[in-house]
Amino acid sequence: MDVTDVFISGVGLHLPPALPVAEVARRGLADERTIRRSRMRSVCVGEESGPEMAVRAAREALGSAGAGREDIGLVLHASTYYQGHDLWAPASYVQREAVGGSCPAMDVGQLSNGGMAAMELAVAALLSGRAPHSVLITTGDRFAPPGFDRWETDPGTVCGDGGTAAVLSTAGGFARLRSLVTVSDPTLESMGRGDDPFGTAPLGVRSPVSVAGHRARLVEQIGMGELIDRLQIGQRNAFERALADADVKADGIAWFVLPHLGRPKMDFQFFGALDIDPDRSTWSWGSGVGHLGAGDPFGGLAHLVRTGALAPGQFCALVSAGGGFAWSVAVLEIVGVPTAGAPSSSAPATRKSSASS
């Protein structure tokens, strides 16, 4: 078997209400310049933990896939930030609440590329032929203070809360996996560490988390030009290899599911560097949601399914990147009419009442 024997049979998405940027400014959660520069319209802000939102998304994905516990041979849960408890296994919670059974359940790191890292593991498990025909992948994050400032922790990236899910299967689905490529460059690992000492407890060295200071330290060491080159080369290598493996040209891709970053980062990393038309991407939707940590690829795919944007014969690319540094790209061929499961909430409504930042 090869990757083309793997399908996506269901996707799910749970988003809390969105906080408009006008309200963000009114509350002083971010300054006007930062808000304008990001070109975000709103950001999803929730009160549930990441694993709780992941469970909601998982139930939708399983429903749309028509999959039960006997079909799932592995549960993978990816996350970026604190999951709500210490010395705890969130993947086991997701398994218990969403599907049950006794298959392995495992947590996946890799920060913003965690969802796609889980996809790499899921495909390997499915192609081994040792498990039932489907794997459940979930992601979930809540970026809450005091440890995280969703506007300033990683300048240029506005983080939103939410849960996503996907069911991968060798028994068929609406999207056939045509390629999956991950490229890694660990020389950029210190962008998430800087020269801070190793701590003895979470947030023991600094709080809130700050990526900006670590990035500045890396620039001092290797130079801005070298950093930019490495970031763009890694993403381009993954992108071009995935297209070549899928035997499709970039202009043959109907939809690009991209990370939900602020517009300057989108221009730098995707629209300009990969020559992607924003109108063929999920940017207009993502700019109202925020960066879902590990969940942008499956969240964007679920959005396309819900809105009826995908049709048989189309190609769709999931493009992702995360600290470490790693870049992943998957090319999907839409081979059936996607079935949307019953969402646990509608598309993000505007939040008018008080909400945490």
Side-chain angles (χ1 to χ4, degrees):
M1 294 195 296
D2 60 29
V3 297
T4 61
D5 294 311
V6 177
F7 297 78
I8 295 181
S9 58
V11 287
L13 172 66
H14 175 78
L15 296 176
L19 190 66
V21 293
E23 184 67 8
V24 171
R26 188 187 71 79
R27 297 184 193 179
L29 302 176
D31 62 75
E32 292 278 3
R33 183 180 182 277
T34 297
I35 294 172
R36 287 197 305 271
R37 180 173 171 77
S38 74
R39 291 176 62 180
M40 297 292 291
R41 298 179 290 108
S42 58
V43 59
C44 290
V45 178
E47 298 178 356
E48 289 184 303
S49 71
E52 289 174 302
M53 292 186 284
V55 167
R56 292 178 179 268
R59 290 171 179 164
E60 179 186 353
L62 290 164
S64 65
R69 71 175 61 187
E70 69 280 359
D71 302 315
I72 302 299
L74 177 64
V75 176
L76 298 169
H77 176 69
S79 61
T80 297
Y81 188 55
Y82 184 60
Q83 295 291 283
H85 291 282
D86 301 304
L87 290 177
W88 182 57
S92 296
Y93 170 83
V94 171
Q95 179 184 22
R96 191 188 82 168
E97 295 294 320
V99 67
S102 58
C103 70
M106 302 178 184
D107 294 300
V108 179
Q110 292 310 116
L111 300 173
S112 298
N113 206 43
M116 296 297 281
M119 193 176 193
E120 288 271 12
L121 297 175
V123 169
L126 289 169
L127 296 185
S128 74
R130 292 178 296 177
H133 59 65
S134 296
V135 172
L136 172 65
I137 301 174
T138 65
T139 77
D141 271 300
R142 181 191 180 204
F143 299 98
F148 202 100
D149 183 331
R150 69 179 73 246
W151 287 87
E152 295 294 342
T153 283
D154 186 3
T157 298
V158 185
C159 292
D161 303 336
T164 77
V167 177
L168 272 63
S169 178
T170 54
F174 70 88
R176 180 189 294 274
L177 184 62
R178 288 286 298 266
S179 66
L180 175 60
V181 173
T182 296
V183 174
S184 178
D185 184 353
T187 63
L188 301 180
E189 164 272 328
S190 65
M191 194 186 303
R193 176 175 53 87
D195 55 5
D196 283 354
F198 283 86
T200 58
L203 304 174
V205 177
R206 65 175 69 223
S207 181
V209 178
S210 175
V211 176
H214 301 330
R215 184 183 296 123
R217 178 60 175 157
L218 182 61
V219 169
E220 290 179 4
Q221 294 172 345
I222 68 173
M224 181 60 79
E226 178 72 8
L227 175 59
I228 290 174
D229 286 346
R230 286 184 175 275
L231 289 172
Q232 292 189 334
I233 288 171
Q235 189 74 78
R236 188 178 303 113
N237 283 346
F239 184 71
E240 292 178 351
R241 283 175 52 189
L243 292 177
D245 287 355
D247 194 23
V248 63
K249 303 295 185 183
D251 58 9
I253 302 293
W255 288 102
F256 293 93
V257 176
L258 302 177
H260 311 159
L261 312 180
R263 186 56 185 254
K265 281 190 174 182
M266 298 297 295
D267 289 336
F268 161 76
Q269 196 163 344
F270 305 109
F271 299 145
L274 303 181
D275 194 25
I276 292 175
D277 180 356
D279 290 338
R280 291 164 57 204
S281 79
T282 48
W283 156 254
S284 62
W285 173 72
S287 65
V289 172
H291 178 49
L292 299 175
D296 287 347
F298 303 140
L301 184 60
H303 166 71
L304 294 177
V305 168
R306 286 184 179 181
T307 56
L310 299 176
Q314 290 181 335
F315 289 92
C316 175
L318 310 183
V319 183
S320 179
F325 216 90
W327 302 266
S328 292
V329 178
V331 175
L332 308 176
E333 179 185 4
I334 308 305
V335 295
V337 178
T339 301
S344 57
S345 69
S346 59
T350 297
R351 180 185 292 271
K352 296 182 180 179
S353 58
S354 176
S356 63
S357 65

PDB file of all heavy atoms in Angstrom, residues 188-214:
ATOM      1  N   LEU A 188      16.645  25.749  13.504  1.00  0.00           N
ATOM      2  CA  LEU A 188      15.782  26.842  13.933  1.00  0.00           C
ATOM      3  C   LEU A 188      15.065  26.529  15.245  1.00  0.00           C
ATOM      4  O   LEU A 188      14.190  27.277  15.670  1.00  0.00           O
ATOM      5  CB  LEU A 188      14.743  27.149  12.850  1.00  0.00           C
ATOM      6  CG  LEU A 188      15.296  27.547  11.476  1.00  0.00           C
ATOM      7  CD1 LEU A 188      14.162  27.831  10.513  1.00  0.00           C
ATOM      8  CD2 LEU A 188      16.219  28.758  11.593  1.00  0.00           C
ATOM      9  N   GLU A 189      15.437  25.439  15.890  1.00  0.00           N
ATOM     10  CA  GLU A 189      14.783  25.012  17.131  1.00  0.00           C
ATOM     11  C   GLU A 189      14.799  26.086  18.209  1.00  0.00           C
ATOM     12  O   GLU A 189      13.838  26.270  18.954  1.00  0.00           O
ATOM     13  CB  GLU A 189      15.456  23.731  17.635  1.00  0.00           C
ATOM     14  CG  GLU A 189      15.181  23.358  19.081  1.00  0.00           C
ATOM     15  CD  GLU A 189      16.163  24.004  20.042  1.00  0.00           C
ATOM     16  OE1 GLU A 189      17.330  24.205  19.670  1.00  0.00           O
ATOM     17  OE2 GLU A 189      15.728  24.331  21.175  1.00  0.00           O
ATOM     18  N   SER A 190      15.903  26.851  18.299  1.00  0.00           N
ATOM     19  CA  SER A 190      16.024  27.815  19.393  1.00  0.00           C
ATOM     20  C   SER A 190      15.099  29.012  19.243  1.00  0.00           C
ATOM     21  O   SER A 190      15.017  29.845  20.147  1.00  0.00           O
ATOM     22  CB  SER A 190      17.471  28.299  19.514  1.00  0.00           C
ATOM     23  OG  SER A 190      17.860  29.035  18.363  1.00  0.00           O
ATOM     24  N   MET A 191      14.365  29.103  18.131  1.00  0.00           N
ATOM     25  CA  MET A 191      13.386  30.177  17.996  1.00  0.00           C
ATOM     26  C   MET A 191      12.309  30.069  19.071  1.00  0.00           C
ATOM     27  O   MET A 191      11.653  31.048  19.411  1.00  0.00           O
ATOM     28  CB  MET A 191      12.741  30.161  16.610  1.00  0.00           C
ATOM     29  CG  MET A 191      11.975  31.433  16.281  1.00  0.00           C
ATOM     30  SD  MET A 191      11.069  31.360  14.717  1.00  0.00           S
ATOM     31  CE  MET A 191      12.356  30.995  13.559  1.00  0.00           C
ATOM     32  N   GLY A 192      12.127  28.888  19.630  1.00  0.00           N
ATOM     33  CA  GLY A 192      11.167  28.711  20.706  1.00  0.00           C
ATOM     34  C   GLY A 192      11.807  28.632  22.071  1.00  0.00           C
ATOM     35  O   GLY A 192      11.102  28.405  23.067  1.00  0.00           O
ATOM     36  N   ARG A 193      13.123  28.835  22.154  1.00  0.00           N
ATOM     37  CA  ARG A 193      13.843  28.662  23.411  1.00  0.00           C
ATOM     38  C   ARG A 193      14.727  29.840  23.765  1.00  0.00           C
ATOM     39  O   ARG A 193      14.884  30.192  24.947  1.00  0.00           O
ATOM     40  CB  ARG A 193      14.683  27.378  23.327  1.00  0.00           C
ATOM     41  CG  ARG A 193      15.557  27.091  24.511  1.00  0.00           C
ATOM     42  CD  ARG A 193      16.234  25.728  24.363  1.00  0.00           C
ATOM     43  NE  ARG A 193      16.942  25.588  23.080  1.00  0.00           N
ATOM     44  CZ  ARG A 193      18.196  25.964  22.872  1.00  0.00           C
ATOM     45  NH1 ARG A 193      18.890  26.543  23.844  1.00  0.00           N
ATOM     46  NH2 ARG A 193      18.763  25.770  21.693  1.00  0.00           N
ATOM     47  N   GLY A 194      15.300  30.467  22.728  1.00  0.00           N
ATOM     48  CA  GLY A 194      16.222  31.560  22.987  1.00  0.00           C
ATOM     49  C   GLY A 194      17.418  31.092  23.790  1.00  0.00           C
ATOM     50  O   GLY A 194      17.915  29.983  23.615  1.00  0.00           O
ATOM     51  N   ASP A 195      17.865  31.951  24.704  1.00  0.00           N
ATOM     52  CA  ASP A 195      18.944  31.535  25.601  1.00  0.00           C
ATOM     53  C   ASP A 195      18.448  31.440  27.035  1.00  0.00           C
ATOM     54  O   ASP A 195      19.230  31.516  27.990  1.00  0.00           O
ATOM     55  CB  ASP A 195      20.135  32.492  25.500  1.00  0.00           C
ATOM     56  CG  ASP A 195      19.747  33.942  25.755  1.00  0.00           C
ATOM     57  OD1 ASP A 195      18.582  34.206  26.095  1.00  0.00           O
ATOM     58  OD2 ASP A 195      20.628  34.817  25.618  1.00  0.00           O
ATOM     59  N   ASP A 196      17.135  31.254  27.203  1.00  0.00           N
ATOM     60  CA  ASP A 196      16.577  31.061  28.541  1.00  0.00           C
ATOM     61  C   ASP A 196      17.142  29.777  29.140  1.00  0.00           C
ATOM     62  O   ASP A 196      17.346  28.782  28.436  1.00  0.00           O
ATOM     63  CB  ASP A 196      15.049  30.933  28.496  1.00  0.00           C
ATOM     64  CG  ASP A 196      14.364  32.280  28.314  1.00  0.00           C
ATOM     65  OD1 ASP A 196      15.063  33.317  28.342  1.00  0.00           O
ATOM     66  OD2 ASP A 196      13.133  32.287  28.138  1.00  0.00           O
ATOM     67  N   PRO A 197      17.357  29.739  30.444  1.00  0.00           N
ATOM     68  CA  PRO A 197      17.772  28.485  31.082  1.00  0.00           C
ATOM     69  C   PRO A 197      16.615  27.492  31.094  1.00  0.00           C
ATOM     70  O   PRO A 197      15.447  27.881  31.000  1.00  0.00           O
ATOM     71  CB  PRO A 197      18.124  28.931  32.506  1.00  0.00           C
ATOM     72  CG  PRO A 197      17.264  30.139  32.745  1.00  0.00           C
ATOM     73  CD  PRO A 197      17.212  30.842  31.408  1.00  0.00           C
ATOM     74  N   PHE A 198      16.947  26.217  31.190  1.00  0.00           N
ATOM     75  CA  PHE A 198      15.894  25.216  31.331  1.00  0.00           C
ATOM     76  C   PHE A 198      15.251  25.374  32.704  1.00  0.00           C
ATOM     77  O   PHE A 198      15.938  25.439  33.721  1.00  0.00           O
ATOM     78  CB  PHE A 198      16.467  23.807  31.151  1.00  0.00           C
ATOM     79  CG  PHE A 198      16.735  23.450  29.711  1.00  0.00           C
ATOM     80  CD1 PHE A 198      17.939  23.791  29.103  1.00  0.00           C
ATOM     81  CD2 PHE A 198      15.778  22.789  28.957  1.00  0.00           C
ATOM     82  CE1 PHE A 198      18.192  23.478  27.778  1.00  0.00           C
ATOM     83  CE2 PHE A 198      16.016  22.470  27.627  1.00  0.00           C
ATOM     84  CZ  PHE A 198      17.220  22.815  27.031  1.00  0.00           C
ATOM     85  N   GLY A 199      13.917  25.442  32.714  1.00  0.00           N
ATOM     86  CA  GLY A 199      13.207  25.681  33.965  1.00  0.00           C
ATOM     87  C   GLY A 199      12.829  24.403  34.679  1.00  0.00           C
ATOM     88  O   GLY A 199      13.017  23.288  34.174  1.00  0.00           O
ATOM     89  N   THR A 200      12.267  24.567  35.869  1.00  0.00           N
ATOM     90  CA  THR A 200      11.850  23.419  36.677  1.00  0.00           C
ATOM     91  C   THR A 200      10.339  23.282  36.748  1.00  0.00           C
ATOM     92  O   THR A 200       9.834  22.296  37.295  1.00  0.00           O
ATOM     93  CB  THR A 200      12.398  23.554  38.109  1.00  0.00           C
ATOM     94  OG1 THR A 200      11.934  24.789  38.679  1.00  0.00           O
ATOM     95  CG2 THR A 200      13.923  23.535  38.102  1.00  0.00           C
ATOM     96  N   ALA A 201       9.592  24.251  36.200  1.00  0.00           N
ATOM     97  CA  ALA A 201       8.131  24.204  36.205  1.00  0.00           C
ATOM     98  C   ALA A 201       7.621  25.049  35.054  1.00  0.00           C
ATOM     99  O   ALA A 201       8.304  25.980  34.609  1.00  0.00           O
ATOM    100  CB  ALA A 201       7.572  24.719  37.529  1.00  0.00           C
ATOM    101  N   PRO A 202       6.427  24.745  34.528  1.00  0.00           N
ATOM    102  CA  PRO A 202       5.867  25.560  33.447  1.00  0.00           C
ATOM    103  C   PRO A 202       5.802  27.034  33.819  1.00  0.00           C
ATOM    104  O   PRO A 202       5.447  27.391  34.953  1.00  0.00           O
ATOM    105  CB  PRO A 202       4.462  24.974  33.263  1.00  0.00           C
ATOM    106  CG  PRO A 202       4.576  23.575  33.754  1.00  0.00           C
ATOM    107  CD  PRO A 202       5.540  23.629  34.903  1.00  0.00           C
ATOM    108  N   LEU A 203       6.168  27.886  32.856  1.00  0.00           N
ATOM    109  CA  LEU A 203       6.140  29.345  33.025  1.00  0.00           C
ATOM    110  C   LEU A 203       7.042  29.818  34.157  1.00  0.00           C
ATOM    111  O   LEU A 203       6.898  30.938  34.651  1.00  0.00           O
ATOM    112  CB  LEU A 203       4.698  29.830  33.266  1.00  0.00           C
ATOM    113  CG  LEU A 203       3.686  29.437  32.187  1.00  0.00           C
ATOM    114  CD1 LEU A 203       2.281  29.843  32.613  1.00  0.00           C
ATOM    115  CD2 LEU A 203       4.037  30.080  30.855  1.00  0.00           C
ATOM    116  N   GLY A 204       7.990  28.972  34.556  1.00  0.00           N
ATOM    117  CA  GLY A 204       8.867  29.345  35.660  1.00  0.00           C
ATOM    118  C   GLY A 204       9.928  30.351  35.277  1.00  0.00           C
ATOM    119  O   GLY A 204      10.462  31.051  36.145  1.00  0.00           O
ATOM    120  N   VAL A 205      10.259  30.447  33.989  1.00  0.00           N
ATOM    121  CA  VAL A 205      11.293  31.379  33.545  1.00  0.00           C
ATOM    122  C   VAL A 205      10.692  32.704  33.128  1.00  0.00           C
ATOM    123  O   VAL A 205      11.211  33.766  33.451  1.00  0.00           O
ATOM    124  CB  VAL A 205      12.101  30.764  32.382  1.00  0.00           C
ATOM    125  CG1 VAL A 205      13.132  31.757  31.845  1.00  0.00           C
ATOM    126  CG2 VAL A 205      12.780  29.491  32.844  1.00  0.00           C
ATOM    127  N   ARG A 206       9.558  32.664  32.410  1.00  0.00           N
ATOM    128  CA  ARG A 206       8.903  33.893  31.984  1.00  0.00           C
ATOM    129  C   ARG A 206       7.417  33.635  31.783  1.00  0.00           C
ATOM    130  O   ARG A 206       7.006  32.556  31.386  1.00  0.00           O
ATOM    131  CB  ARG A 206       9.516  34.461  30.713  1.00  0.00           C
ATOM    132  CG  ARG A 206       9.347  33.578  29.486  1.00  0.00           C
ATOM    133  CD  ARG A 206       9.879  34.261  28.233  1.00  0.00           C
ATOM    134  NE  ARG A 206      11.321  34.386  28.257  1.00  0.00           N
ATOM    135  CZ  ARG A 206      11.978  35.494  27.891  1.00  0.00           C
ATOM    136  NH1 ARG A 206      11.308  36.553  27.478  1.00  0.00           N
ATOM    137  NH2 ARG A 206      13.297  35.535  27.909  1.00  0.00           N
ATOM    138  N   SER A 207       6.620  34.644  32.086  1.00  0.00           N
ATOM    139  CA  SER A 207       5.179  34.562  31.872  1.00  0.00           C
ATOM    140  C   SER A 207       4.649  35.980  31.642  1.00  0.00           C
ATOM    141  O   SER A 207       4.961  36.885  32.423  1.00  0.00           O
ATOM    142  CB  SER A 207       4.477  33.950  33.101  1.00  0.00           C
ATOM    143  OG  SER A 207       3.087  33.853  32.890  1.00  0.00           O
ATOM    144  N   PRO A 208       3.872  36.199  30.550  1.00  0.00           N
ATOM    145  CA  PRO A 208       3.436  35.202  29.588  1.00  0.00           C
ATOM    146  C   PRO A 208       4.574  34.740  28.676  1.00  0.00           C
ATOM    147  O   PRO A 208       5.645  35.336  28.633  1.00  0.00           O
ATOM    148  CB  PRO A 208       2.367  35.950  28.789  1.00  0.00           C
ATOM    149  CG  PRO A 208       2.778  37.381  28.857  1.00  0.00           C
ATOM    150  CD  PRO A 208       3.337  37.552  30.234  1.00  0.00           C
ATOM    151  N   VAL A 209       4.304  33.661  27.958  1.00  0.00           N
ATOM    152  CA  VAL A 209       5.248  33.145  26.978  1.00  0.00           C
ATOM    153  C   VAL A 209       5.552  34.238  25.955  1.00  0.00           C
ATOM    154  O   VAL A 209       4.667  35.003  25.570  1.00  0.00           O
ATOM    155  CB  VAL A 209       4.655  31.914  26.260  1.00  0.00           C
ATOM    156  CG1 VAL A 209       5.617  31.397  25.194  1.00  0.00           C
ATOM    157  CG2 VAL A 209       4.306  30.823  27.262  1.00  0.00           C
ATOM    158  N   SER A 210       6.815  34.334  25.527  1.00  0.00           N
ATOM    159  CA  SER A 210       7.190  35.326  24.525  1.00  0.00           C
ATOM    160  C   SER A 210       8.075  34.699  23.467  1.00  0.00           C
ATOM    161  O   SER A 210       9.206  34.279  23.758  1.00  0.00           O
ATOM    162  CB  SER A 210       7.917  36.508  25.166  1.00  0.00           C
ATOM    163  OG  SER A 210       8.377  37.413  24.171  1.00  0.00           O
ATOM    164  N   VAL A 211       7.568  34.597  22.253  1.00  0.00           N
ATOM    165  CA  VAL A 211       8.356  34.084  21.134  1.00  0.00           C
ATOM    166  C   VAL A 211       9.243  35.190  20.565  1.00  0.00           C
ATOM    167  O   VAL A 211      10.317  34.921  20.029  1.00  0.00           O
ATOM    168  CB  VAL A 211       7.437  33.522  20.040  1.00  0.00           C
ATOM    169  CG1 VAL A 211       8.237  33.063  18.824  1.00  0.00           C
ATOM    170  CG2 VAL A 211       6.606  32.356  20.595  1.00  0.00           C
ATOM    171  N   ALA A 212       8.804  36.444  20.723  1.00  0.00           N
ATOM    172  CA  ALA A 212       9.520  37.566  20.109  1.00  0.00           C
ATOM    173  C   ALA A 212      10.963  37.658  20.592  1.00  0.00           C
ATOM    174  O   ALA A 212      11.889  37.856  19.798  1.00  0.00           O
ATOM    175  CB  ALA A 212       8.784  38.865  20.395  1.00  0.00           C
ATOM    176  N   GLY A 213      11.170  37.525  21.900  1.00  0.00           N
ATOM    177  CA  GLY A 213      12.520  37.616  22.435  1.00  0.00           C
ATOM    178  C   GLY A 213      13.412  36.494  21.954  1.00  0.00           C
ATOM    179  O   GLY A 213      14.593  36.707  21.637  1.00  0.00           O
ATOM    180  N   HIS A 214      12.856  35.288  21.880  1.00  0.00           N
ATOM    181  CA  HIS A 214      13.634  34.147  21.393  1.00  0.00           C
ATOM    182  C   HIS A 214      14.002  34.324  19.920  1.00  0.00           C
ATOM    183  O   HIS A 214      15.119  34.006  19.513  1.00  0.00           O
ATOM    184  CB  HIS A 214      12.825  32.865  21.560  1.00  0.00           C
ATOM    185  CG  HIS A 214      12.419  32.570  22.974  1.00  0.00           C
ATOM    186  ND1 HIS A 214      13.172  32.970  24.050  1.00  0.00           N
ATOM    187  CD2 HIS A 214      11.337  31.918  23.478  1.00  0.00           C
ATOM    188  CE1 HIS A 214      12.588  32.567  25.161  1.00  0.00           C
ATOM    189  NE2 HIS A 214      11.465  31.937  24.843  1.00  0.00           N
TER     190      HIS A 214
END
